[in-house]
Amino acid sequence: MASRKRPPSKIRTISIEPNYVNRDGSALFKFGDSAVVCSVNGPTEVKLRDEKVDKATIDVIFKPLVGLPGTKDKTHEYIIRSTVESVIKSNLYPRTLIQIVCQVMMDDGNILATAINATTYALMNAGVEMKDIAVAVACIVNKDGNILIDPELREIEKAQSYHTFAFSKTSFGLLFCESTGLFTEEQYFECYAICKIAAQEIIDKIRMKIQLDLT
Amino acid sequence: MVKELELSTNEKELIISGLKEGIRLDGRGIDDFRSLKITLGPEYGRSEVKLGDTKVLAKVSCEVARPYPDRPNEGMLTLNTELSPMAFAGLEPGRPSEEEVLVSRILEKAIKINRAVDVEGLCIVANELAWSIHVDVHFLDNDGNIIDAACIAAISALSHFRRPDVTVIGEDVTIHPVDQRNPVPLSIHHTPICVTFAFFENGDLWVVDPSLKEEQIRRGDMIIAINNHKEICVLSKAGGLPLEMLTIIQCSKLAASKVDWVREKIQDAIANAAEVEKRKTLREIIIDD
């Protein structure tokens, strides 16, 4: 089997396509051959039962590439919702709904991280006010103890442990993390440090893309 | 939940008066499709179709399962067409809408009930093992005529799909991973392609491939699916305006020529995808050396 063609700490080529679908805001975010398209509707009318008097209701739908949404996809919905809830200024939109739909377009690993980044860009594209932005990166620790960032599917299959981190831009704090597999404390902090550096790279990329689109 | 905004009276009148002169809002003639772009790949069985601003993604996948007891010699083909608020604002997720039922029913009729895919060829061991093929159709953007776009996406994805090869020796079944032996395409009997017509006023005015605005003011619609042998596979006229016999014949003639055009596009897309795949393998060989 072909080995990894890029250095362990290098993420795959990122490409972003804003306004991918005709909604209030949308974006396609790609990490190499992993792609998620996210659309944002809102602020729009909310169902009475979901209405919150002091802030916006945030609803996330996550649709997998293959099959009907299952437990894993529901978990992704929950994670994306709680991550963006902490960055959206939802008190500016009381009694409204902000509906986020993520659709997986291509799956080559790290779908959750890709989806969080797509959501961030789509929210900005929709003009929803945020106090911060969230970016996410994933990495694995393989059997030799090496850390590979932004792994592909075939690398994830052989991983010892798998970690996804989401950081906020301004405070650069940890917004979300999820780890599976067996790992030591040092490995965890090492992953954290490496992902933080990669997150900065993604933020720069997003900034560049916005600059490019505005000029 | 919010409903899509209705068209204003002025907009309606503009569209109708334009149609009377044979002009449509986007400048096409009444018998023109919008631009059609089909992208296949990078993996087998993935098709992205853009029909104007309508975007549909289809993904074909397979797994090995036990055949149904009443059809022991046949594989399974399932179509999954779930609509999401991405293309349909105001849609309530979880509950199938009228539109969803209509789309899935037409696709099921065109592809499954017409036996477009050879399901007998999907059987591995009778009563024991068979391939189960899933077609997931995702609607990303709706600018009218999602049925034609979905049908094109599903058919092109099925034609592009490859399943792992299997060998059966006695009772032993070996499924060869894709990187060990070249995967095999599905055998496809025929390729039905849908063409949608919309009718206005008293049925004298009609268009092919209606846009969202035209769909909102249409008074009747008709869907014709025609295959590569120029046979009509589905003719769906689900209520709405009553039509003259002659109109139906005229429409089916036009549909036949449109289907040829669509099929050419699909073939181009398949050839394109094969070319890309070939270049990719060549590059990998060079890098590995």
Side-chain angles (χ1 to χ4, degrees), chain B residues 44-59:
Chain B
Y44 286 125
R46 182 182 179 279
S47 167
E48 222 178 313
V49 169
K50 281 184 197 170
L51 184 62
D53 273 338
T54 297
K55 291 194 193 77
V56 175
L57 169 75
K59 176 82 175 90

mmCIF file with all atom_site columns, all heavy atoms in Angstrom, chain B residues 44-59:
data_model
loop_
_atom_site.group_PDB
_atom_site.id
_atom_site.type_symbol
_atom_site.label_atom_id
_atom_site.label_alt_id
_atom_site.label_comp_id
_atom_site.label_asym_id
_atom_site.label_entity_id
_atom_site.label_seq_id
_atom_site.pdbx_PDB_ins_code
_atom_site.Cartn_x
_atom_site.Cartn_y
_atom_site.Cartn_z
_atom_site.occupancy
_atom_site.B_iso_or_equiv
_atom_site.pdbx_formal_charge
_atom_site.auth_seq_id
_atom_site.auth_comp_id
_atom_site.auth_asym_id
_atom_site.auth_atom_id
_atom_site.pdbx_PDB_model_num
ATOM 1   N N   . TYR B 1 44 ? -15.746 5.563  -7.601  1.00 0.00 ? 44 TYR B N   1
ATOM 2   C CA  . TYR B 1 44 ? -16.754 4.955  -8.465  1.00 0.00 ? 44 TYR B CA  1
ATOM 3   C C   . TYR B 1 44 ? -18.157 5.178  -7.915  1.00 0.00 ? 44 TYR B C   1
ATOM 4   O O   . TYR B 1 44 ? -18.381 5.060  -6.721  1.00 0.00 ? 44 TYR B O   1
ATOM 5   C CB  . TYR B 1 44 ? -16.509 3.456  -8.600  1.00 0.00 ? 44 TYR B CB  1
ATOM 6   C CG  . TYR B 1 44 ? -15.334 3.115  -9.478  1.00 0.00 ? 44 TYR B CG  1
ATOM 7   C CD1 . TYR B 1 44 ? -14.300 2.323  -9.007  1.00 0.00 ? 44 TYR B CD1 1
ATOM 8   C CD2 . TYR B 1 44 ? -15.271 3.584  -10.783 1.00 0.00 ? 44 TYR B CD2 1
ATOM 9   C CE1 . TYR B 1 44 ? -13.220 2.003  -9.815  1.00 0.00 ? 44 TYR B CE1 1
ATOM 10  C CE2 . TYR B 1 44 ? -14.208 3.281  -11.593 1.00 0.00 ? 44 TYR B CE2 1
ATOM 11  C CZ  . TYR B 1 44 ? -13.185 2.489  -11.115 1.00 0.00 ? 44 TYR B CZ  1
ATOM 12  O OH  . TYR B 1 44 ? -12.122 2.192  -11.916 1.00 0.00 ? 44 TYR B OH  1
ATOM 13  N N   . GLY B 1 45 ? -19.070 5.490  -8.815  1.00 0.00 ? 45 GLY B N   1
ATOM 14  C CA  . GLY B 1 45 ? -20.469 5.592  -8.422  1.00 0.00 ? 45 GLY B CA  1
ATOM 15  C C   . GLY B 1 45 ? -20.847 6.892  -7.760  1.00 0.00 ? 45 GLY B C   1
ATOM 16  O O   . GLY B 1 45 ? -21.819 6.959  -7.025  1.00 0.00 ? 45 GLY B O   1
ATOM 17  N N   . ARG B 1 46 ? -20.058 7.937  -7.995  1.00 0.00 ? 46 ARG B N   1
ATOM 18  C CA  . ARG B 1 46 ? -20.416 9.229  -7.431  1.00 0.00 ? 46 ARG B CA  1
ATOM 19  C C   . ARG B 1 46 ? -20.666 10.189 -8.587  1.00 0.00 ? 46 ARG B C   1
ATOM 20  O O   . ARG B 1 46 ? -19.831 10.347 -9.453  1.00 0.00 ? 46 ARG B O   1
ATOM 21  C CB  . ARG B 1 46 ? -19.295 9.761  -6.550  1.00 0.00 ? 46 ARG B CB  1
ATOM 22  C CG  . ARG B 1 46 ? -19.618 11.074 -5.885  1.00 0.00 ? 46 ARG B CG  1
ATOM 23  C CD  . ARG B 1 46 ? -18.443 11.560 -5.058  1.00 0.00 ? 46 ARG B CD  1
ATOM 24  N NE  . ARG B 1 46 ? -18.743 12.811 -4.435  1.00 0.00 ? 46 ARG B NE  1
ATOM 25  C CZ  . ARG B 1 46 ? -18.661 13.985 -5.040  1.00 0.00 ? 46 ARG B CZ  1
ATOM 26  N NH1 . ARG B 1 46 ? -18.273 14.046 -6.285  1.00 0.00 ? 46 ARG B NH1 1
ATOM 27  N NH2 . ARG B 1 46 ? -18.966 15.093 -4.412  1.00 0.00 ? 46 ARG B NH2 1
ATOM 28  N N   . SER B 1 47 ? -21.830 10.796 -8.597  1.00 0.00 ? 47 SER B N   1
ATOM 29  C CA  . SER B 1 47 ? -22.187 11.669 -9.708  1.00 0.00 ? 47 SER B CA  1
ATOM 30  C C   . SER B 1 47 ? -22.779 12.967 -9.189  1.00 0.00 ? 47 SER B C   1
ATOM 31  O O   . SER B 1 47 ? -23.651 12.958 -8.326  1.00 0.00 ? 47 SER B O   1
ATOM 32  C CB  . SER B 1 47 ? -23.191 10.950 -10.604 1.00 0.00 ? 47 SER B CB  1
ATOM 33  O OG  . SER B 1 47 ? -23.767 11.846 -11.506 1.00 0.00 ? 47 SER B OG  1
ATOM 34  N N   . GLU B 1 48 ? -22.270 14.068 -9.715  1.00 0.00 ? 48 GLU B N   1
ATOM 35  C CA  . GLU B 1 48 ? -22.787 15.367 -9.315  1.00 0.00 ? 48 GLU B CA  1
ATOM 36  C C   . GLU B 1 48 ? -23.396 16.002 -10.551 1.00 0.00 ? 48 GLU B C   1
ATOM 37  O O   . GLU B 1 48 ? -22.724 16.163 -11.556 1.00 0.00 ? 48 GLU B O   1
ATOM 38  C CB  . GLU B 1 48 ? -21.624 16.218 -8.802  1.00 0.00 ? 48 GLU B CB  1
ATOM 39  C CG  . GLU B 1 48 ? -21.960 17.013 -7.574  1.00 0.00 ? 48 GLU B CG  1
ATOM 40  C CD  . GLU B 1 48 ? -20.764 17.802 -7.073  1.00 0.00 ? 48 GLU B CD  1
ATOM 41  O OE1 . GLU B 1 48 ? -19.666 17.236 -6.964  1.00 0.00 ? 48 GLU B OE1 1
ATOM 42  O OE2 . GLU B 1 48 ? -20.945 18.985 -6.807  1.00 0.00 ? 48 GLU B OE2 1
ATOM 43  N N   . VAL B 1 49 ? -24.677 16.334 -10.482 1.00 0.00 ? 49 VAL B N   1
ATOM 44  C CA  . VAL B 1 49 ? -25.358 16.870 -11.646 1.00 0.00 ? 49 VAL B CA  1
ATOM 45  C C   . VAL B 1 49 ? -25.807 18.298 -11.382 1.00 0.00 ? 49 VAL B C   1
ATOM 46  O O   . VAL B 1 49 ? -26.402 18.592 -10.346 1.00 0.00 ? 49 VAL B O   1
ATOM 47  C CB  . VAL B 1 49 ? -26.566 15.977 -12.026 1.00 0.00 ? 49 VAL B CB  1
ATOM 48  C CG1 . VAL B 1 49 ? -27.435 16.657 -13.067 1.00 0.00 ? 49 VAL B CG1 1
ATOM 49  C CG2 . VAL B 1 49 ? -26.087 14.639 -12.549 1.00 0.00 ? 49 VAL B CG2 1
ATOM 50  N N   . LYS B 1 50 ? -25.480 19.186 -12.317 1.00 0.00 ? 50 LYS B N   1
ATOM 51  C CA  . LYS B 1 50 ? -25.960 20.562 -12.233 1.00 0.00 ? 50 LYS B CA  1
ATOM 52  C C   . LYS B 1 50 ? -26.841 20.810 -13.440 1.00 0.00 ? 50 LYS B C   1
ATOM 53  O O   . LYS B 1 50 ? -26.367 20.761 -14.571 1.00 0.00 ? 50 LYS B O   1
ATOM 54  C CB  . LYS B 1 50 ? -24.785 21.541 -12.263 1.00 0.00 ? 50 LYS B CB  1
ATOM 55  C CG  . LYS B 1 50 ? -24.079 21.668 -10.945 1.00 0.00 ? 50 LYS B CG  1
ATOM 56  C CD  . LYS B 1 50 ? -22.989 22.710 -11.020 1.00 0.00 ? 50 LYS B CD  1
ATOM 57  C CE  . LYS B 1 50 ? -22.049 22.504 -9.846  1.00 0.00 ? 50 LYS B CE  1
ATOM 58  N NZ  . LYS B 1 50 ? -20.850 23.321 -9.959  1.00 0.00 ? 50 LYS B NZ  1
ATOM 59  N N   . LEU B 1 51 ? -28.107 21.038 -13.191 1.00 0.00 ? 51 LEU B N   1
ATOM 60  C CA  . LEU B 1 51 ? -29.035 21.368 -14.266 1.00 0.00 ? 51 LEU B CA  1
ATOM 61  C C   . LEU B 1 51 ? -29.441 22.810 -14.010 1.00 0.00 ? 51 LEU B C   1
ATOM 62  O O   . LEU B 1 51 ? -30.294 23.074 -13.167 1.00 0.00 ? 51 LEU B O   1
ATOM 63  C CB  . LEU B 1 51 ? -30.232 20.417 -14.214 1.00 0.00 ? 51 LEU B CB  1
ATOM 64  C CG  . LEU B 1 51 ? -31.268 20.546 -15.318 1.00 0.00 ? 51 LEU B CG  1
ATOM 65  C CD1 . LEU B 1 51 ? -30.683 20.260 -16.670 1.00 0.00 ? 51 LEU B CD1 1
ATOM 66  C CD2 . LEU B 1 51 ? -32.439 19.616 -15.052 1.00 0.00 ? 51 LEU B CD2 1
ATOM 67  N N   . GLY B 1 52 ? -28.800 23.745 -14.707 1.00 0.00 ? 52 GLY B N   1
ATOM 68  C CA  . GLY B 1 52 ? -28.995 25.156 -14.363 1.00 0.00 ? 52 GLY B CA  1
ATOM 69  C C   . GLY B 1 52 ? -28.508 25.367 -12.951 1.00 0.00 ? 52 GLY B C   1
ATOM 70  O O   . GLY B 1 52 ? -27.360 25.048 -12.644 1.00 0.00 ? 52 GLY B O   1
ATOM 71  N N   . ASP B 1 53 ? -29.376 25.846 -12.072 1.00 0.00 ? 53 ASP B N   1
ATOM 72  C CA  . ASP B 1 53 ? -28.988 26.030 -10.674 1.00 0.00 ? 53 ASP B CA  1
ATOM 73  C C   . ASP B 1 53 ? -29.463 24.888 -9.782  1.00 0.00 ? 53 ASP B C   1
ATOM 74  O O   . ASP B 1 53 ? -29.322 24.947 -8.567  1.00 0.00 ? 53 ASP B O   1
ATOM 75  C CB  . ASP B 1 53 ? -29.540 27.355 -10.133 1.00 0.00 ? 53 ASP B CB  1
ATOM 76  C CG  . ASP B 1 53 ? -28.583 28.500 -10.416 1.00 0.00 ? 53 ASP B CG  1
ATOM 77  O OD1 . ASP B 1 53 ? -27.393 28.222 -10.625 1.00 0.00 ? 53 ASP B OD1 1
ATOM 78  O OD2 . ASP B 1 53 ? -29.036 29.657 -10.433 1.00 0.00 ? 53 ASP B OD2 1
ATOM 79  N N   . THR B 1 54 ? -30.072 23.889 -10.358 1.00 0.00 ? 54 THR B N   1
ATOM 80  C CA  . THR B 1 54 ? -30.484 22.724 -9.579  1.00 0.00 ? 54 THR B CA  1
ATOM 81  C C   . THR B 1 54 ? -29.286 21.785 -9.441  1.00 0.00 ? 54 THR B C   1
ATOM 82  O O   . THR B 1 54 ? -28.643 21.462 -10.430 1.00 0.00 ? 54 THR B O   1
ATOM 83  C CB  . THR B 1 54 ? -31.642 22.004 -10.286 1.00 0.00 ? 54 THR B CB  1
ATOM 84  O OG1 . THR B 1 54 ? -32.753 22.898 -10.345 1.00 0.00 ? 54 THR B OG1 1
ATOM 85  C CG2 . THR B 1 54 ? -32.064 20.746 -9.556  1.00 0.00 ? 54 THR B CG2 1
ATOM 86  N N   . LYS B 1 55 ? -28.967 21.417 -8.194  1.00 0.00 ? 55 LYS B N   1
ATOM 87  C CA  . LYS B 1 55 ? -27.805 20.560 -7.983  1.00 0.00 ? 55 LYS B CA  1
ATOM 88  C C   . LYS B 1 55 ? -28.211 19.288 -7.250  1.00 0.00 ? 55 LYS B C   1
ATOM 89  O O   . LYS B 1 55 ? -28.908 19.348 -6.240  1.00 0.00 ? 55 LYS B O   1
ATOM 90  C CB  . LYS B 1 55 ? -26.752 21.278 -7.133  1.00 0.00 ? 55 LYS B CB  1
ATOM 91  C CG  . LYS B 1 55 ? -26.086 22.427 -7.834  1.00 0.00 ? 55 LYS B CG  1
ATOM 92  C CD  . LYS B 1 55 ? -24.839 22.850 -7.064  1.00 0.00 ? 55 LYS B CD  1
ATOM 93  C CE  . LYS B 1 55 ? -24.326 24.184 -7.568  1.00 0.00 ? 55 LYS B CE  1
ATOM 94  N NZ  . LYS B 1 55 ? -25.114 25.316 -7.067  1.00 0.00 ? 55 LYS B NZ  1
ATOM 95  N N   . VAL B 1 56 ? -27.782 18.165 -7.783  1.00 0.00 ? 56 VAL B N   1
ATOM 96  C CA  . VAL B 1 56 ? -28.099 16.878 -7.182  1.00 0.00 ? 56 VAL B CA  1
ATOM 97  C C   . VAL B 1 56 ? -26.826 16.035 -7.116  1.00 0.00 ? 56 VAL B C   1
ATOM 98  O O   . VAL B 1 56 ? -26.011 16.063 -8.038  1.00 0.00 ? 56 VAL B O   1
ATOM 99  C CB  . VAL B 1 56 ? -29.182 16.135 -8.008  1.00 0.00 ? 56 VAL B CB  1
ATOM 100 C CG1 . VAL B 1 56 ? -29.428 14.759 -7.452  1.00 0.00 ? 56 VAL B CG1 1
ATOM 101 C CG2 . VAL B 1 56 ? -30.470 16.918 -8.027  1.00 0.00 ? 56 VAL B CG2 1
ATOM 102 N N   . LEU B 1 57 ? -26.661 15.335 -6.003  1.00 0.00 ? 57 LEU B N   1
ATOM 103 C CA  . LEU B 1 57 ? -25.521 14.438 -5.850  1.00 0.00 ? 57 LEU B CA  1
ATOM 104 C C   . LEU B 1 57 ? -26.059 13.022 -5.670  1.00 0.00 ? 57 LEU B C   1
ATOM 105 O O   . LEU B 1 57 ? -26.951 12.804 -4.859  1.00 0.00 ? 57 LEU B O   1
ATOM 106 C CB  . LEU B 1 57 ? -24.701 14.850 -4.621  1.00 0.00 ? 57 LEU B CB  1
ATOM 107 C CG  . LEU B 1 57 ? -23.625 13.890 -4.143  1.00 0.00 ? 57 LEU B CG  1
ATOM 108 C CD1 . LEU B 1 57 ? -22.426 13.955 -5.066  1.00 0.00 ? 57 LEU B CD1 1
ATOM 109 C CD2 . LEU B 1 57 ? -23.186 14.231 -2.737  1.00 0.00 ? 57 LEU B CD2 1
ATOM 110 N N   . ALA B 1 58 ? -25.527 12.085 -6.436  1.00 0.00 ? 58 ALA B N   1
ATOM 111 C CA  . ALA B 1 58 ? -25.941 10.691 -6.257  1.00 0.00 ? 58 ALA B CA  1
ATOM 112 C C   . ALA B 1 58 ? -24.717 9.857  -5.918  1.00 0.00 ? 58 ALA B C   1
ATOM 113 O O   . ALA B 1 58 ? -23.640 10.074 -6.484  1.00 0.00 ? 58 ALA B O   1
ATOM 114 C CB  . ALA B 1 58 ? -26.604 10.162 -7.522  1.00 0.00 ? 58 ALA B CB  1
ATOM 115 N N   . LYS B 1 59 ? -24.891 8.934  -4.986  1.00 0.00 ? 59 LYS B N   1
ATOM 116 C CA  . LYS B 1 59 ? -23.779 8.060  -4.603  1.00 0.00 ? 59 LYS B CA  1
ATOM 117 C C   . LYS B 1 59 ? -24.294 6.633  -4.564  1.00 0.00 ? 59 LYS B C   1
ATOM 118 O O   . LYS B 1 59 ? -25.304 6.346  -3.922  1.00 0.00 ? 59 LYS B O   1
ATOM 119 C CB  . LYS B 1 59 ? -23.254 8.489  -3.227  1.00 0.00 ? 59 LYS B CB  1
ATOM 120 C CG  . LYS B 1 59 ? -22.168 7.592  -2.675  1.00 0.00 ? 59 LYS B CG  1
ATOM 121 C CD  . LYS B 1 59 ? -20.807 7.944  -3.258  1.00 0.00 ? 59 LYS B CD  1
ATOM 122 C CE  . LYS B 1 59 ? -19.693 7.127  -2.627  1.00 0.00 ? 59 LYS B CE  1
ATOM 123 N NZ  . LYS B 1 59 ? -19.430 5.864  -3.328  1.00 0.00 ? 59 LYS B NZ  1
#
